[in-house]
Amino acid sequence: MQQFLDLLTLPPVQRSGVALLLAAIALPIVGVFIVGLDIVAVRFAVMHVALLGIAVGFLTGLDPMLCGLAACAIAGAGVAPLAQRPSGLPGAMGLLMTFAIAGALLVLSVSGVNATSAFELLWGSILATRPVDLVVLAVLAAVIHLLFWRYRRPLALLMFDRELALCSGVPARLLMLVLLIVVAVAIGASIRLTGALLVDAVTILPALAARNLGHSLRSMVLLAVSFGFAGNVCGFALALALDQPPGPVLVLVAGAFTLVTYLLPEGAFNASTAARQDDDRDLRGAVPADSLRQ
Amino acid sequence: MTGSPQPVVFRRVVCRYGRSIAVKRVDLTVSAGEHVAVTGANGSGKSTLLRAVLGLHPLAAGDILVGGESANGTSGWMARRRNVAWVPQRLTPGRFPLLVDELLGSAIDCDVARDSAGDLGVAGLLRRPLHTLSGGQLQRVFLARALGCIAGGAGVLLADEPTAALDFAGQEQVAAMLAALPATVIVVSHDRAMSRTCDRIAEMAAGRLRIA
Ligand SMILES: Nc1ncnc2c1ncn2[C@@H]1O[C@H](COP(=O)(O)OP(=O)(O)OP(=O)(O)O)[C@@H](O)[C@H]1O
Ligand SMILES: [Mg+2]
């Protein structure tokens, strides 16, 4: 125990702890967007886009990391027009990934940059978190929360049905554009910060768990953040206690939480909603649905 | 605030799906406050025609005017969609849950939408996700939302088979509700109660429109 507490006093451990907490409150929301838009392949696509950006950075002598993030933002904006077709986005992600891999390999080869060094820049490690990384994460977290809480009604409509959103006066095209840019940049930055493996643990796994239990966009986001938080805290503590690398341990812990939600019987979580429904009926004094239909 | 009913004019409207033509040079003038029922065989282009009014399907030729104006550009379409309440024929089942209350909240006047949900007997379902409703309940919720849009200023109602999933009492009730609506109404319906309460019946056959 003493040894465990001693570990917590080390600055790198503290920094990675803060990074994981920041990630836990923001990235699961991105995960909910990803699941809602049915673009789980986005993380692979974005990873290769970031690699392409980094390669361009090496080639031009600009900051490779910034180039990587800029490439993510451009790619996010670039696929947005494809979202106008109902099934356009999931397919677009596969296409984007293929293009990005090819582009990255070509640019790396042309520039003579060693592919491994480009990859190394991309594959971060949570224990190597620098103070500047924390700033990036904090800004990202703020933007994501602002986007969600400010626009959650239009977002809920947009993810439910694009046409319905359009008919309700939601500027669907603009909102989708912003959404895709935020998703792409968040994924790109978190790959860099937490390593590719951890992106799933803090982004997609909590969202999948939340989808199994939530009934609305809002409840899903709250559940996803709770799952992300619980997974990160437990996983990180366990990794320190066992003296093992945090990445794999975190993924296993978050994965176990998610697995449990698949095993719960469907509707196990509905009891509270059903009770609330009856409240609604009483409060409004409305006629129960069935009596009018006789 | 209630808007005033607006005329809807179709001028030689043509809609295509790739090479096949779903709507063939349709001309129709619906004056302000008039109620028109559109009938016709399955696949004759009724839904496509209504969706074109909202810009959910592009026009290959011709024009559609609401309140004397055709819609252009993003802001033009925004104004058009605000002006036209819509009851879709079917819902693409979303991957994502949306609560009944959130759907009603997207009406221009959500209070009227919620009250109408009470009138239509679905007030007890506000906290339920849409995908857990029965077909008839879902149609009642969409009708309530459309009534909220009309109350909030939309001057036109487009309803695509709004009573197809309703029980007999529901069909009578909705027909009476729409008949009393202070708006221009174009309703696709195969239901007698509905066509009786309309001023005119138009029939579509293989993409062409005929006034009966
Ligand atoms: N997405 C699509 N792609 C290709 N063809 C389509 C598509 N949607 C509709 N169609 C075709 O266009 C024609 C008109 O369809 P539409 O939905 O407007 O018919 P409808 O009159 O509303 O029929 P129903 O009474 O069954 O609702 C049909 O022949 C249909 O098969
Ligand atoms: Mg139809």
Side-chain angles (χ1 to χ4, degrees):
Chain A
M1 193 64 201
Q2 191 52 47
Q3 198 187 357
F4 178 75
L5 291 179
D6 284 345
L7 271 178
L8 287 182
T9 60
L10 298 175
V13 174
Q14 287 173 346
R15 274 202 298 274
S16 45
V18 173
L20 281 175
L21 284 184
L22 282 172
I25 59 169
L27 292 180
I29 301 183
V30 173
V32 172
F33 294 158
I34 290 173
V35 172
L37 297 172
D38 199 11
I39 50 170
V40 175
V42 71
R43 61 197 194 285
F44 295 123
V46 163
M47 195 169 111
H48 292 99
V49 168
L51 193 66
L52 174 63
I54 290 170
V56 170
F58 278 131
L59 188 62
T60 55
L62 298 169
D63 183 81
M65 212 47 236
L66 282 183
C67 288
L69 289 186
C72 292
I74 293 170
V79 294
L82 298 169
Q84 300 202 38
R85 288 192 177 197
S87 59
L89 269 184
M93 286 303 150
L95 201 62
L96 176 63
M97 180 166 108
T98 321
F99 278 140
I101 296 176
L105 290 178
L106 205 62
V107 173
L108 284 172
S109 137
V110 168
S111 63
V113 172
N114 183 346
T116 353
S117 63
F119 257 117
E120 256 161 26
L121 203 59
L122 187 63
W123 296 71
S125 156
I126 190 73
L127 286 172
T129 309
R130 301 160 302 167
V132 56
D133 295 333
L134 291 183
V135 174
V136 171
L137 251 189
V139 171
L140 207 59
V143 170
I144 290 166
H145 272 273
L146 196 73
L147 177 71
F148 177 70
W149 292 107
R150 177 89 176 69
Y151 297 104
R152 72 194 148 92
R153 280 162 214 274
L155 280 171
L157 281 173
L158 183 64
M159 285 197 236
F160 176 71
D161 183 32
R162 194 186 128 81
E163 290 189 349
L164 190 66
L166 280 174
C167 291
S168 307
V170 173
R173 200 179 297 190
L174 183 67
L175 198 57
M176 185 64 90
L177 180 72
V178 173
L179 202 57
L180 286 171
I181 292 178
V182 168
V183 166
V185 172
I187 293 287
S190 57
I191 289 173
R192 156 78 194 133
L193 292 179
T194 62
L197 188 57
L198 266 185
V199 169
D200 273 10
V202 298
T203 307
I204 301 194
L205 290 180
L208 289 177
R211 184 177 60 177
N212 288 339
L213 302 181
H215 294 102
S216 64
L217 183 62
R218 185 168 173 276
S219 67
M220 278 198 207
V221 158
L222 294 176
L223 278 165
V225 171
S226 317
F227 271 104
F229 199 77
N232 281 6
V233 170
C234 298
F236 193 53
L238 196 63
L240 291 182
L242 299 175
D243 195 18
Q244 294 296 328
V249 177
L250 263 164
V251 174
L252 288 177
V253 170
F257 281 152
T258 307
L259 189 64
V260 170
T261 66
Y262 277 95
L263 300 179
L264 287 175
E266 205 168 334
F269 222 64
N270 284 7
S272 62
T273 355
R276 273 217 309 274
Q277 230 165 276
D278 291 337
D279 290 352
D280 273 359
R281 203 173 288 183
D282 296 344
L283 282 176
R284 294 176 170 267
V287 197
D290 306 322
S291 69
L292 258 183
R293 315 170 97 216
Q294 307 302 318
Chain B
M1 104 189 168
T2 306
S4 51
Q6 313 255 326
V8 181
V9 179
F10 297 82
R11 275 194 199 142
R12 305 194 160 218
V13 171
V14 179
C15 296
R16 299 165 167 277
Y17 290 98
R19 279 194 184 169
S20 77
I21 303 179
V23 173
K24 296 174 186 158
R25 310 226 310 167
V26 164
D27 275 308
L28 175 67
T29 301
V30 183
S31 41
E34 194 182 11
H35 292 205
V36 173
V38 180
T39 62
N42 294 137
S44 56
K46 306 179 296 293
S47 297
T48 309
L49 186 67
L50 289 203
R51 289 163 53 80
V53 178
L54 289 156
L56 301 177
H57 194 88
L59 294 183
D63 199 4
I64 300 177
L65 314 174
V66 172
E69 292 186 35
S70 62
N72 286 305
T74 314
S75 62
W77 281 112
M78 289 272 249
R80 162 73 57 93
R81 288 168 182 145
R82 213 183 149 72
N83 216 343
V84 176
W86 165 238
V87 178
Q89 178 172 19
R90 59 162 180 237
L91 200 64
T92 37
R95 283 175 298 277
F96 235 64
L98 188 76
L99 299 179
V100 169
D101 197 44
E102 290 177 313
L103 179 70
L104 294 175
S106 69
I108 303 175
D109 187 331
C110 357
D111 293 330
V112 171
R114 292 196 181 101
D115 289 346
S116 309
D119 297 339
L120 286 159
V122 286
L125 307 175
L126 293 186
R127 295 260 125 219
R128 288 261 296 270
L130 286 177
H131 65 87
T132 66
L133 302 192
S134 74
Q137 290 173 331
L138 194 63
Q139 269 187 333
R140 286 166 191 256
V141 170
F142 267 101
L143 276 163
R145 175 180 179 280
L147 295 179
C149 290
I150 303 273
V156 177
L157 171 67
L158 302 180
D160 199 346
E161 305 200 23
T163 56
L166 296 190
D167 50 41
F168 286 129
Q171 295 183 353
E172 300 278 352
Q173 187 195 0
V174 168
M177 266 180 155
L178 295 198
L181 215 55
T184 308
V185 175
I186 304 179
V187 53
V188 173
S189 183
H190 305 293
D191 142 20
R192 299 247 166 73
M194 184 69 77
S195 16
R196 260 203 312 271
T197 57
C198 286
D199 303 316
R200 250 198 307 167
I201 299 179
E203 192 181 336
M204 280 205 81
R208 294 187 192 279
L209 189 88
R210 211 182 45 173
I211 306 294

